[in-house]
Amino acid sequence: MYELNCAGVIPGCDRVIRAESQADLIRKAVIQAKQLGVERITPSMMDAFRLATTEAATAH
């Protein structure tokens, strides 16, 4: 499970995005950014998504 606390990464976002894969997490972050009015996802924003992504420990 991967997590992205989007506060500070996506303007106006105050949630934690979770996904099973890093690729799915980035897709969800892009969708969230566009819903919050970000018109263009820049390469630096993509880098910020990747840097802010953490791998959450999974409970077994």
Side-chain angles (χ1 to χ4, degrees):
M1 176 71 68
Y2 291 88
E3 294 183 345
L4 168 67
N5 182 348
C6 65
V9 181
I10 301 171
C13 186
D14 61 355
R15 64 184 288 239
V16 175
I17 300 168
R18 293 180 179 87
E20 291 297 322
S21 71
Q22 198 168 14
D24 194 32
L25 183 81
I26 298 296
R27 279 191 289 276
K28 287 181 176 187
V30 168
I31 291 167
Q32 179 68 38
K34 290 187 180 225
Q35 287 175 343
L36 289 170
V38 176
E39 293 180 16
R40 183 170 173 264
I41 306 299
T42 63
S44 63
M45 185 175 271
M46 290 297 289
D47 289 342
F49 291 160
R50 288 185 196 96
L51 288 172
T53 297
T54 58
E55 191 168 0
T58 55
H60 291 286

